[in-house]
Coordinates of all heavy atoms in Angstrom, one line a residue:
M17 N -10.3 -0.2 14.5 CA -10.6 -0.1 13.1 C -11.7 -1.1 12.7 O -11.8 -2.2 13.2 CB -9.4 -0.5 12.3 CG -9.5 -0.2 10.8 SD -8.0 -0.7 9.9 CE -8.2 -2.4 9.9
V18 N -12.6 -0.6 11.9 CA -13.8 -1.5 11.5 C -13.7 -2.0 10.1 O -14.2 -3.1 9.8 CB -15.1 -0.7 11.8 CG1 -15.3 0.4 10.8 CG2 -16.3 -1.7 11.6
Y19 N -13.0 -1.3 9.2 CA -13.0 -1.7 7.8 C -11.8 -1.1 7.1 O -11.5 0.1 7.3 CB -14.3 -1.3 7.1 CG -14.4 -1.9 5.7 CD1 -14.6 -3.3 5.5 CD2 -14.2 -1.1 4.6 CE1 -14.7 -3.8 4.3 CE2 -14.3 -1.7 3.3 CZ -14.5 -3.0 3.2 OH -14.6 -3.6 1.9
T20 N -11.1 -1.8 6.2 CA -10.2 -1.2 5.3 C -10.1 -2.0 4.0 O -10.5 -3.2 4.0 CB -8.8 -1.2 5.9 OG1 -7.9 -0.4 5.1 CG2 -8.2 -2.6 6.1
N21 N -9.7 -1.4 3.0 CA -9.7 -2.0 1.7 C -8.7 -1.3 0.8 O -8.5 0.0 1.0 CB -11.1 -2.1 1.0 CG -11.1 -3.0 -0.2 OD1 -10.5 -2.8 -1.2 ND2 -11.8 -4.1 0.0
A22 N -8.0 -1.9 -0.1 CA -7.1 -1.3 -1.0 C -7.8 -0.3 -1.9 O -7.2 0.7 -2.4 CB -6.3 -2.3 -1.8
N23 N -9.1 -0.6 -2.2 CA -9.8 0.3 -3.1 C -10.6 1.3 -2.3 O -11.5 1.1 -1.6 CB -10.8 -0.6 -3.9 CG -11.6 0.2 -4.9 OD1 -11.8 1.4 -4.8 ND2 -11.9 -0.5 -6.0
R24 N -10.1 2.6 -2.5 CA -10.7 3.7 -1.7 C -12.2 4.0 -2.0 O -12.9 4.5 -1.2 CB -9.9 4.9 -1.7 CG -9.7 5.5 -3.1 CD -8.8 6.7 -3.0 NE -7.5 6.4 -2.4 CZ -6.8 7.1 -1.6 NH1 -7.3 8.3 -1.2 NH2 -5.6 6.7 -1.1
F25 N -12.6 3.5 -3.2 CA -14.0 3.8 -3.6 C -14.9 2.8 -2.8 O -16.0 3.1 -2.4 CB -14.2 3.6 -5.1 CG -13.4 4.7 -5.8 CD1 -12.3 4.3 -6.5 CD2 -13.9 6.0 -5.9 CE1 -11.6 5.3 -7.2 CE2 -13.2 7.0 -6.5 CZ -12.0 6.6 -7.2
I26 N -14.4 1.6 -2.6 CA -15.2 0.6 -1.8 C -15.2 1.1 -0.3 O -16.3 1.0 0.3 CB -14.5 -0.8 -1.9 CG1 -14.7 -1.3 -3.3 CG2 -15.1 -1.7 -0.9 CD1 -13.9 -2.6 -3.6
V27 N -14.1 1.6 0.1 CA -14.1 2.1 1.5 C -15.1 3.3 1.7 O -15.8 3.4 2.6 CB -12.7 2.6 1.9 CG1 -12.7 3.2 3.3 CG2 -11.7 1.4 1.9
A28 N -15.1 4.2 0.7 CA -16.0 5.3 0.7 C -17.5 4.8 0.7 O -18.3 5.4 1.4 CB -15.8 6.3 -0.5
N29 N -17.7 3.8 -0.1 CA -19.1 3.2 -0.1 C -19.4 2.6 1.3 O -20.6 2.9 1.8 CB -19.1 2.2 -1.2 CG -20.5 1.7 -1.4 OD1 -21.5 2.5 -1.4 ND2 -20.7 0.4 -1.6
A30 N -18.5 1.9 1.9 CA -18.8 1.4 3.2 C -19.0 2.5 4.2 O -19.9 2.3 5.1 CB -17.6 0.5 3.7
K31 N -18.3 3.6 4.1 CA -18.5 4.7 5.0 C -19.9 5.3 4.9 O -20.6 5.5 5.9 CB -17.5 5.8 4.7 CG -17.6 7.0 5.6 CD -16.4 7.9 5.3 CE -16.5 9.3 6.1 NZ -17.5 10.2 5.5
N32 N -20.4 5.4 3.6 CA -21.7 5.9 3.4 C -22.8 5.0 4.0 O -23.7 5.5 4.6 CB -21.9 6.1 1.9 CG -21.2 7.2 1.3 OD1 -20.8 8.1 2.0 ND2 -20.9 7.2 0.0
I33 N -22.6 3.7 3.8 CA -23.5 2.8 4.4 C -23.6 2.9 5.9 O -24.7 3.0 6.5 CB -23.1 1.3 4.0 CG1 -23.3 1.1 2.5 CG2 -24.0 0.3 4.8 CD1 -22.7 -0.2 2.0
L34 N -22.4 3.0 6.5 CA -22.4 3.0 8.0 C -23.0 4.3 8.5 O -23.8 4.4 9.4 CB -21.0 2.9 8.5 CG -20.4 1.5 8.4 CD1 -18.9 1.6 8.6 CD2 -21.0 0.6 9.3
E35 N -22.7 5.4 7.8 CA -23.3 6.7 8.2 C -24.8 6.8 8.0 O -25.5 7.4 8.8 CB -22.6 7.9 7.5 CG -21.1 8.1 8.0 CD -20.4 9.2 7.3 OE1 -20.8 9.5 6.1 OE2 -19.5 9.7 7.9
S36 N -25.3 6.0 7.1 CA -26.7 6.0 6.9 C -27.4 5.3 8.0 O -28.6 5.5 8.3 CB -27.1 5.3 5.5 OG -26.9 3.9 5.6
Y37 N -26.7 4.5 8.8 CA -27.2 3.8 10.0 C -26.9 4.6 11.2 O -27.1 4.2 12.3 CB -26.6 2.4 10.1 CG -27.2 1.4 9.2 CD1 -26.7 1.2 7.9 CD2 -28.3 0.6 9.6 CE1 -27.3 0.3 7.1 CE2 -28.9 -0.3 8.8 CZ -28.3 -0.5 7.5 OH -28.9 -1.4 6.7
G38 N -26.3 5.8 11.1 CA -26.1 6.7 12.2 C -24.8 6.4 13.0 O -24.5 6.8 14.1
V39 N -23.9 5.6 12.3 CA -22.6 5.3 13.0 C -21.6 6.4 12.6 O -21.4 6.7 11.4 CB -22.0 3.9 12.5 CG1 -20.7 3.7 13.1 CG2 -23.0 2.8 12.8
Q40 N -21.0 7.0 13.6 CA -20.0 8.0 13.3 C -18.7 7.4 12.9 O -18.2 6.5 13.6 CB -19.8 8.9 14.6 CG -21.0 9.8 14.8 CD -20.7 10.8 16.0 OE1 -19.5 11.1 16.3 NE2 -21.8 11.2 16.7
I41 N -18.1 7.8 11.8 CA -17.0 7.2 11.2 C -15.8 8.2 11.1 O -16.0 9.3 10.7 CB -17.3 6.7 9.8 CG1 -18.3 5.5 9.9 CG2 -16.0 6.2 9.1 CD1 -17.7 4.3 10.6
A42 N -14.6 7.7 11.5 CA -13.4 8.5 11.3 C -12.6 7.8 10.2 O -12.5 6.6 10.2 CB -12.6 8.6 12.6
V43 N -12.1 8.6 9.2 CA -11.4 8.1 8.1 C -9.9 8.3 8.4 O -9.5 9.5 8.6 CB -11.8 8.7 6.8 CG1 -11.0 8.1 5.6 CG2 -13.3 8.4 6.6
K44 N -9.1 7.3 8.3 CA -7.6 7.5 8.4 C -6.9 7.2 7.1 O -7.4 6.3 6.3 CB -7.0 6.6 9.5 CG -7.6 6.9 10.9 CD -6.8 6.3 12.0 CE -7.4 6.7 13.4 NZ -6.7 6.2 14.5
N45 N -5.8 7.8 6.9 CA -5.0 7.6 5.7 C -5.7 8.2 4.4 O -5.2 8.0 3.3 CB -4.7 6.2 5.4 CG -3.8 5.6 6.5 OD1 -3.1 6.3 7.2 ND2 -3.8 4.3 6.7
E46 N -6.8 8.9 4.6 CA -7.5 9.4 3.4 C -6.6 10.3 2.5 O -6.6 10.3 1.3 CB -8.7 10.1 3.8 CG -9.6 10.5 2.6 CD -10.9 11.1 3.0 OE1 -11.0 11.6 4.1 OE2 -11.8 11.1 2.2
F47 N -5.8 11.1 3.2 CA -4.9 12.1 2.5 C -3.5 11.8 2.6 O -2.6 12.6 2.3 CB -5.2 13.5 3.0 CG -6.6 13.9 2.9 CD1 -7.4 14.0 4.1 CD2 -7.2 14.1 1.7 CE1 -8.8 14.4 4.0 CE2 -8.6 14.4 1.6 CZ -9.3 14.6 2.8
A48 N -3.2 10.5 3.1 CA -1.8 10.2 3.3 C -1.0 10.3 2.0 O 0.2 10.7 2.0 CB -1.7 8.8 3.9
S49 N -1.6 9.9 0.9 CA -0.8 9.8 -0.4 C -0.4 11.2 -0.8 O 0.7 11.4 -1.4 CB -1.6 9.2 -1.4 OG -2.8 9.8 -1.6
S50 N -1.2 12.3 -0.5 CA -0.8 13.6 -0.9 C 0.1 14.3 0.1 O 0.9 15.1 -0.2 CB -2.1 14.4 -1.2 OG -2.9 14.4 -0.1
A51 N -0.1 13.9 1.4 CA 0.7 14.5 2.4 C 2.2 14.0 2.4 O 3.1 14.8 2.6 CB 0.1 14.2 3.8
I52 N 2.4 12.8 2.0 CA 3.7 12.2 2.0 C 4.0 11.9 0.5 O 3.5 10.9 0.0 CB 3.8 10.9 2.9 CG1 3.3 11.2 4.3 CG2 5.3 10.4 2.9 CD1 3.1 10.0 5.1
G53 N 4.8 12.7 -0.1 CA 5.0 12.6 -1.6 C 5.6 11.2 -2.0 O 5.3 10.8 -3.1
E54 N 6.3 10.6 -1.1 CA 7.0 9.3 -1.6 C 6.0 8.2 -1.6 O 6.3 7.1 -2.2 CB 8.1 9.0 -0.6 CG 9.2 10.1 -0.7 CD 10.1 10.0 0.5 OE1 10.1 9.0 1.2 OE2 10.9 11.0 0.8
V55 N 4.9 8.3 -0.9 CA 4.0 7.1 -0.8 C 3.0 7.1 -2.0 O 2.3 8.1 -2.2 CB 3.2 7.2 0.5 CG1 2.2 6.0 0.6 CG2 4.2 7.1 1.7
S56 N 3.0 6.1 -2.7 CA 2.0 6.0 -3.8 C 0.6 5.7 -3.2 O 0.5 5.2 -2.2 CB 2.4 4.8 -4.7 OG 1.3 3.9 -4.8
P57 N -0.4 6.2 -3.9 CA -1.8 6.0 -3.4 C -2.1 4.6 -3.2 O -3.0 4.3 -2.4 CB -2.6 6.6 -4.6 CG -1.7 7.5 -5.4 CD -0.3 6.9 -5.2
F58 N -1.4 3.7 -3.9 CA -1.8 2.3 -3.8 C -1.1 1.6 -2.6 O -1.4 0.4 -2.4 CB -1.5 1.6 -5.1 CG -2.2 2.2 -6.3 CD1 -1.5 3.0 -7.2 CD2 -3.6 2.0 -6.5 CE1 -2.2 3.6 -8.2 CE2 -4.2 2.6 -7.5 CZ -3.5 3.4 -8.4
D59 N -0.2 2.3 -2.0 CA 0.5 1.7 -0.9 C -0.2 1.9 0.4 O 0.0 1.3 1.4 CB 1.9 2.3 -0.7 CG 2.9 1.8 -1.8 OD1 2.6 0.7 -2.3 OD2 3.8 2.5 -2.1
T60 N -1.2 2.9 0.4 CA -1.8 3.3 1.6 C -3.3 2.9 1.6 O -4.0 3.4 0.7 CB -1.7 4.8 1.8 OG1 -0.3 5.1 1.7 CG2 -2.2 5.2 3.2
W61 N -3.7 2.0 2.5 CA -5.1 1.6 2.5 C -5.9 2.6 3.4 O -5.4 3.0 4.5 CB -5.3 0.2 3.2 CG -4.8 -0.9 2.2 CD1 -3.9 -0.8 1.3 CD2 -5.4 -2.2 2.2 NE1 -3.8 -2.0 0.6 CE2 -4.7 -2.9 1.2 CE3 -6.3 -2.8 2.9 CZ2 -4.9 -4.2 0.9 CZ3 -6.6 -4.2 2.6 CH2 -5.9 -4.8 1.6
V62 N -7.0 3.1 2.9 CA -7.8 4.0 3.7 C -8.5 3.1 4.7 O -9.0 2.0 4.4 CB -8.9 4.7 2.8 CG1 -9.8 5.6 3.6 CG2 -8.2 5.5 1.7
E63 N -8.5 3.6 6.0 CA -9.1 2.9 7.1 C -10.3 3.6 7.6 O -10.3 4.8 7.8 CB -8.1 2.7 8.2 CG -6.8 1.9 7.7 CD -5.8 1.8 8.8 OE1 -5.9 2.5 9.8 OE2 -4.8 1.1 8.6
L64 N -11.3 2.8 8.0 CA -12.5 3.4 8.6 C -12.5 2.9 10.1 O -12.2 1.8 10.4 CB -13.8 2.8 8.0 CG -14.1 3.2 6.5 CD1 -15.4 2.7 6.1 CD2 -13.9 4.7 6.3
W65 N -12.7 3.9 11.0 CA -12.7 3.7 12.5 C -14.0 4.2 13.0 O -14.4 5.3 12.6 CB -11.5 4.4 13.1 CG -10.2 3.9 12.7 CD1 -9.6 4.1 11.5 CD2 -9.2 3.2 13.5 NE1 -8.3 3.5 11.5 CE2 -8.1 3.0 12.7 CE3 -9.3 2.7 14.9 CZ2 -7.0 2.3 13.2 CZ3 -8.1 2.0 15.3 CH2 -7.0 1.8 14.5
V66 N -14.6 3.5 13.9 CA -15.8 4.0 14.6 C -15.3 5.0 15.6 O -14.3 4.8 16.3 CB -16.6 2.9 15.3 CG1 -17.3 2.0 14.2 CG2 -15.8 2.1 16.2
V67 N -16.0 6.1 15.7 CA -15.7 7.2 16.7 C -16.1 6.7 18.1 O -15.3 7.0 19.0 CB -16.5 8.5 16.3 CG1 -16.3 9.6 17.4 CG2 -16.0 9.0 14.9
R68 N -17.2 6.1 18.2 CA -17.6 5.6 19.5 C -17.4 4.0 19.6 O -17.9 3.3 18.7 CB -19.1 5.9 19.8 CG -19.4 7.4 19.8 CD -20.9 7.7 19.7 NE -21.4 7.2 18.5 CZ -22.6 7.6 18.0 NH1 -23.3 8.4 18.6 NH2 -23.1 7.1 16.8
D69 N -16.7 3.6 20.6 CA -16.4 2.1 20.7 C -17.6 1.3 20.7 O -17.6 0.2 20.1 CB -15.6 1.9 22.0 CG -14.1 2.3 21.8 OD1 -13.7 2.5 20.6 OD2 -13.4 2.4 22.8
R70 N -18.7 1.8 21.3 CA -19.9 0.9 21.4 C -20.6 0.7 20.0 O -21.4 -0.1 19.9 CB -20.9 1.6 22.4 CG -21.4 3.0 22.0 CD -22.1 3.6 23.2 NE -22.2 5.1 23.0 CZ -23.3 5.6 22.3 NH1 -24.2 4.9 21.8 NH2 -23.3 6.9 22.2
D71 N -20.2 1.5 19.0 CA -20.8 1.3 17.7 C -20.1 0.2 16.9 O -20.5 -0.2 15.9 CB -20.6 2.6 16.9 CG -21.6 3.6 17.3 OD1 -22.6 3.3 18.0 OD2 -21.4 4.8 17.0
Y72 N -19.0 -0.4 17.5 CA -18.1 -1.3 16.7 C -18.9 -2.5 16.3 O -18.9 -2.9 15.1 CB -16.9 -1.7 17.5 CG -16.0 -2.6 16.8 CD1 -15.1 -2.1 15.9 CD2 -16.0 -4.0 17.0 CE1 -14.3 -3.0 15.2 CE2 -15.2 -4.8 16.3 CZ -14.3 -4.3 15.4 OH -13.5 -5.2 14.7
D73 N -19.6 -3.2 17.2 CA -20.3 -4.4 16.9 C -21.3 -4.2 15.8 O -21.5 -4.9 14.9 CB -20.9 -5.0 18.1 CG -19.9 -5.6 19.0 OD1 -18.8 -5.9 18.6 OD2 -20.2 -5.8 20.2
M74 N -22.1 -3.1 16.0 CA -23.1 -2.8 15.0 C -22.5 -2.5 13.7 O -23.0 -2.9 12.6 CB -23.9 -1.5 15.5 CG -25.1 -1.2 14.6 SD -26.2 0.0 15.3 CE -25.3 1.5 14.8
A75 N -21.4 -1.8 13.6 CA -20.8 -1.4 12.4 C -20.3 -2.7 11.6 O -20.5 -2.8 10.4 CB -19.6 -0.5 12.6
C76 N -19.8 -3.7 12.4 CA -19.4 -4.9 11.8 C -20.6 -5.7 11.2 O -20.5 -6.2 10.1 CB -18.7 -5.8 12.8 SG -17.1 -5.2 13.3
R77 N -21.7 -5.7 11.9 CA -22.9 -6.4 11.4 C -23.4 -5.7 10.2 O -23.8 -6.4 9.2 CB -23.9 -6.5 12.5 CG -23.7 -7.5 13.6 CD -24.9 -7.9 14.3 NE -25.5 -6.7 15.1 CZ -25.0 -6.4 16.3 NH1 -24.1 -7.1 16.9 NH2 -25.6 -5.3 16.9
I78 N -23.4 -4.4 10.2 CA -24.0 -3.7 9.0 C -23.1 -4.0 7.8 O -23.6 -4.3 6.7 CB -23.9 -2.2 9.3 CG1 -25.0 -1.8 10.4 CG2 -24.2 -1.4 8.0 CD1 -24.8 -0.4 10.9
L79 N -21.8 -4.0 8.0 CA -20.9 -4.2 6.8 C -21.1 -5.7 6.4 O -21.1 -5.9 5.2 CB -19.5 -3.9 7.2 CG -19.1 -2.5 7.3 CD1 -17.7 -2.3 7.7 CD2 -19.3 -1.8 5.9
E80 N -21.2 -6.6 7.3 CA -21.3 -8.0 6.9 C -22.6 -8.2 6.0 O -22.6 -8.8 5.0 CB -21.4 -8.9 8.1 CG -20.1 -9.3 8.7 CD -20.3 -10.1 10.0 OE1 -21.3 -10.7 10.2 OE2 -19.3 -10.1 10.7
S81 N -23.7 -7.6 6.5 CA -24.9 -7.8 5.7 C -24.9 -7.0 4.4 O -25.4 -7.5 3.4 CB -26.1 -7.4 6.6 OG -26.1 -6.0 6.9
A82 N -24.2 -5.8 4.4 CA -24.2 -5.0 3.2 C -23.3 -5.7 2.2 O -23.6 -5.8 1.0 CB -23.6 -3.7 3.5
I83 N -22.2 -6.3 2.6 CA -21.3 -6.9 1.7 C -21.8 -8.3 1.1 O -21.5 -8.7 0.0 CB -19.9 -7.1 2.4 CG1 -19.2 -5.7 2.5 CG2 -19.0 -8.0 1.5 CD1 -18.1 -5.7 3.5
S84 N -22.7 -8.9 1.9 CA -23.2 -10.2 1.5 C -24.6 -10.0 0.8 O -25.3 -11.0 0.6 CB -23.3 -11.2 2.6 OG -24.2 -10.7 3.6
D85 N -24.9 -8.8 0.5 CA -26.2 -8.5 -0.2 C -26.5 -9.3 -1.4 O -27.6 -9.7 -1.8 CB -26.4 -7.0 -0.5 CG -27.1 -6.3 0.6 OD1 -27.6 -7.0 1.5 OD2 -27.3 -5.1 0.5
E86 N -25.3 -9.6 -2.1 CA -25.5 -10.3 -3.4 C -26.1 -11.7 -3.2 O -26.8 -12.2 -4.1 CB -24.1 -10.5 -4.1 CG -23.5 -9.1 -4.4 CD -22.0 -9.2 -4.3 OE1 -21.4 -10.2 -4.6 OE2 -21.4 -8.2 -3.8
H87 N -25.8 -12.4 -2.1 CA -26.4 -13.6 -1.8 C -27.3 -13.4 -0.5 O -26.9 -13.8 0.6 CB -25.4 -14.7 -1.5 CG -24.2 -14.7 -2.4 ND1 -24.2 -15.2 -3.7 CD2 -23.0 -14.1 -2.3 CE1 -23.1 -15.0 -4.3 NE2 -22.3 -14.4 -3.5
A88 N -28.4 -12.8 -0.7 CA -29.1 -12.3 0.5 C -29.8 -13.4 1.3 O -30.0 -13.3 2.5 CB -30.2 -11.3 0.1
A89 N -30.1 -14.5 0.6 CA -30.9 -15.6 1.3 C -30.1 -16.9 1.3 O -29.3 -17.2 0.5 CB -32.2 -15.7 0.6
P90 N -30.5 -17.7 2.3 CA -30.0 -19.1 2.3 C -30.4 -19.8 1.0 O -31.5 -19.4 0.4 CB -30.6 -19.8 3.5 CG -31.0 -18.6 4.4 CD -31.3 -17.5 3.5
W91 N -29.7 -20.8 0.5 CA -30.0 -21.4 -0.7 C -30.1 -22.9 -0.5 O -29.5 -23.5 0.4 CB -29.0 -21.0 -1.8 CG -27.6 -21.3 -1.5 CD1 -26.8 -20.5 -0.7 CD2 -26.8 -22.4 -1.8 NE1 -25.6 -21.0 -0.6 CE2 -25.5 -22.2 -1.3 CE3 -27.0 -23.6 -2.6 CZ2 -24.5 -23.1 -1.4 CZ3 -26.0 -24.5 -2.7 CH2 -24.7 -24.3 -2.2
I92 N -30.9 -23.5 -1.4 CA -31.1 -25.0 -1.3 C -30.2 -25.7 -2.3 O -30.2 -25.3 -3.5 CB -32.6 -25.3 -1.5 CG1 -33.5 -24.5 -0.6 CG2 -32.8 -26.8 -1.4 CD1 -33.3 -24.9 0.9
C93 N -29.5 -26.7 -1.9 CA -28.6 -27.4 -2.8 C -29.5 -28.2 -3.8 O -30.4 -28.9 -3.5 CB -27.8 -28.4 -2.0 SG -26.7 -29.4 -3.0
K94 N -29.1 -28.0 -5.1 CA -29.8 -28.7 -6.2 C -29.6 -30.2 -6.1 O -30.4 -31.0 -6.5 CB -29.2 -28.3 -7.5 CG -29.5 -26.8 -7.9 CD -29.2 -26.5 -9.3 CE -27.7 -26.6 -9.6 NZ -27.0 -25.4 -9.5
S95 N -28.4 -30.6 -5.5 CA -28.0 -32.0 -5.5 C -28.6 -32.8 -4.4 O -29.1 -33.9 -4.6 CB -26.5 -32.1 -5.6 OG -26.1 -33.4 -5.4
C96 N -28.6 -32.3 -3.2 CA -29.0 -33.0 -2.0 C -30.1 -32.4 -1.2 O -30.5 -32.9 -0.2 CB -27.8 -33.3 -1.1 SG -27.1 -31.9 -0.3
N97 N -30.6 -31.2 -1.6 CA -31.7 -30.5 -1.0 C -31.4 -30.0 0.4 O -32.3 -29.7 1.2 CB -32.9 -31.3 -1.0 CG -33.5 -31.4 -2.4 OD1 -33.5 -30.5 -3.1 ND2 -34.1 -32.6 -2.7
E98 N -30.1 -29.9 0.8 CA -29.7 -29.3 2.1 C -29.8 -27.8 2.0 O -29.5 -27.2 0.9 CB -28.3 -29.7 2.5 CG -28.2 -31.1 3.1 CD -29.0 -31.2 4.5 OE1 -29.2 -30.1 5.1 OE2 -29.3 -32.3 4.9
E99 N -30.2 -27.1 3.1 CA -30.2 -25.7 3.1 C -28.8 -25.2 3.4 O -28.2 -25.7 4.4 CB -31.2 -25.1 4.1 CG -31.2 -23.6 4.1 CD -32.4 -23.1 4.9 OE1 -33.5 -23.5 4.7 OE2 -32.1 -22.3 5.8
N100 N -28.3 -24.2 2.7 CA -26.9 -23.7 2.9 C -27.0 -22.2 3.3 O -27.8 -21.5 2.8 CB -26.1 -23.8 1.7 CG -25.6 -25.3 1.4 OD1 -24.6 -25.7 1.9 ND2 -26.5 -26.0 0.7
D101 N -26.1 -21.8 4.2 CA -26.0 -20.4 4.6 C -25.7 -19.6 3.4 O -25.0 -20.0 2.4 CB -24.9 -20.3 5.6 CG -24.9 -18.9 6.3 OD1 -25.6 -18.7 7.2 OD2 -24.1 -18.0 5.8
E102 N -26.1 -18.3 3.4 CA -25.9 -17.4 2.2 C -24.5 -17.2 1.9 O -24.1 -16.9 0.7 CB -26.6 -16.1 2.6 CG -25.9 -15.4 3.7 CD -26.7 -14.2 4.3 OE1 -28.0 -14.3 4.2 OE2 -26.1 -13.3 4.8
S103 N -23.6 -17.3 2.9 CA -22.2 -17.0 2.6 C -21.4 -18.2 2.0 O -20.3 -18.1 1.6 CB -21.5 -16.6 3.9 OG -21.5 -17.7 4.9
F104 N -22.1 -19.4 2.0 CA -21.4 -20.6 1.4 C -21.5 -20.5 -0.1 O -22.5 -20.3 -0.7 CB -22.0 -21.9 1.9 CG -21.8 -22.1 3.4 CD1 -21.2 -21.2 4.2 CD2 -22.3 -23.3 3.9 CE1 -21.0 -21.5 5.5 CE2 -22.1 -23.5 5.3 CZ -21.5 -22.7 6.1
E105 N -20.3 -20.8 -0.8 CA -20.3 -20.9 -2.2 C -20.6 -22.3 -2.7 O -20.9 -22.5 -3.8 CB -19.0 -20.3 -2.8 CG -18.9 -18.8 -2.7 CD -17.6 -18.3 -3.2 OE1 -17.2 -18.9 -4.2 OE2 -17.1 -17.3 -2.7
F106 N -20.3 -23.2 -1.8 CA -20.5 -24.6 -2.1 C -21.3 -25.3 -1.0 O -21.2 -24.9 0.2 CB -19.2 -25.4 -2.2 CG -18.3 -24.8 -3.4 CD1 -17.4 -23.8 -3.1 CD2 -18.5 -25.3 -4.7 CE1 -16.6 -23.3 -4.1 CE2 -17.7 -24.8 -5.7 CZ -16.8 -23.8 -5.4
C107 N -22.1 -26.3 -1.4 CA -22.9 -27.0 -0.4 C -22.0 -27.6 0.7 O -21.0 -28.3 0.4 CB -23.7 -28.1 -1.1 SG -24.6 -29.2 0.1
W108 N -22.4 -27.4 2.0 CA -21.6 -27.9 3.1 C -21.7 -29.4 3.1 O -20.8 -30.1 3.6 CB -22.0 -27.3 4.4 CG -23.4 -27.7 4.8 CD1 -24.5 -26.9 4.5 CD2 -23.9 -28.8 5.5 NE1 -25.6 -27.6 5.0 CE2 -25.3 -28.7 5.6 CE3 -23.2 -29.9 6.1 CZ2 -26.0 -29.7 6.3 CZ3 -24.0 -30.9 6.7 CH2 -25.4 -30.8 6.8
N109 N -22.8 -30.0 2.6 CA -23.0 -31.4 2.7 C -22.4 -32.2 1.6 O -21.8 -33.3 1.8 CB -24.5 -31.6 2.7 CG -24.9 -33.0 3.0 OD1 -24.4 -33.6 3.9 ND2 -25.8 -33.6 2.3
C110 N -22.5 -31.8 0.3 CA -22.1 -32.6 -0.8 C -21.1 -31.9 -1.7 O -20.5 -32.5 -2.6 CB -23.2 -33.1 -1.6 SG -24.0 -31.8 -2.6
G111 N -20.8 -30.6 -1.5 CA -19.8 -29.9 -2.3 C -20.4 -29.3 -3.6 O -19.6 -28.7 -4.4
Q112 N -21.6 -29.4 -3.9 CA -22.2 -28.9 -5.1 C -22.1 -27.4 -5.1 O -22.3 -26.7 -4.1 CB -23.7 -29.3 -5.1 CG -24.5 -28.6 -6.2 CD -24.2 -29.2 -7.6 OE1 -24.0 -30.4 -7.7 NE2 -24.2 -28.4 -8.6
S113 N -21.7 -26.8 -6.2 CA -21.6 -25.3 -6.3 C -23.0 -24.7 -6.2 O -24.0 -25.2 -6.6 CB -21.0 -25.0 -7.7 OG -21.2 -23.6 -7.9
A114 N -23.0 -23.4 -5.6 CA -24.3 -22.7 -5.4 C -24.9 -22.3 -6.7 O -26.1 -22.1 -6.8 CB -24.0 -21.5 -4.5
V115 N -24.1 -22.1 -7.8 CA -24.6 -21.6 -9.0 C -25.2 -22.7 -9.9 O -24.5 -23.7 -10.0 CB -23.5 -20.8 -9.8 CG1 -24.1 -20.3 -11.1 CG2 -23.0 -19.7 -8.9
Ligands
ZN6 ZN1 -25.6 -30.6 -1.4

């Protein structure tokens, strides 16, 4: 499995991104809520699986970069001028918030 989320719209979006990179995706649980009447749609997370195992690493990297698009670049701390990785919300050096 490469990705899952409680929100099936986010999962559908992730699937579109991966397919745009040529990764073949299989969707599991997409219709589970309608197939099994007792299961609420919110109990079943839609899961994305890569069809070819060798695509797995690439799929993970694509999703990581797609999901972190909001903070696309490393940032410089206002307080101590250290460079911080894009995924950090606080300065690793002094704890200053990124915003
Ligand atoms: Zn700092």
Side-chain angles (χ1 to χ4, degrees):
M17 188 180 75
V18 67
Y19 187 72
T20 188
N21 192 291
N23 185 328
R24 60 183 56 219
F25 295 105
I26 294 175
V27 175
N29 188 40
K31 176 173 178 284
N32 288 338
I33 293 168
L34 288 170
E35 287 181 337
S36 75
Y37 283 88
V39 179
Q40 288 184 26
I41 292 297
V43 180
K44 297 195 179 183
N45 294 338
E46 188 174 20
F47 303 111
S49 58
S50 53
I52 308 166
E54 296 160 17
V55 177
S56 124
F58 302 104
D59 288 337
T60 310
W61 286 31
V62 182
E63 298 176 351
L64 299 183
W65 296 70
V66 289
V67 174
R68 298 168 297 198
D69 283 346
R70 61 191 163 89
D71 285 342
Y72 180 81
D73 288 340
M74 186 172 81
C76 289
R77 282 198 298 274
I78 291 167
L79 284 178
E80 274 175 24
S81 64
I83 288 166
S84 62
D85 263 356
E86 298 147 38
H87 317 280
W91 52 279
I92 305 294
C93 177
K94 294 190 295 262
S95 173
C96 68
N97 289 325
E98 278 295 339
E99 184 172 304
N100 285 271
D101 190 85
E102 63 194 30
S103 61
F104 291 2
E105 289 181 34
F106 298 93
C107 175
W108 64 267
N109 188 45
C110 72
Q112 171 75 37
S113 166
V115 180

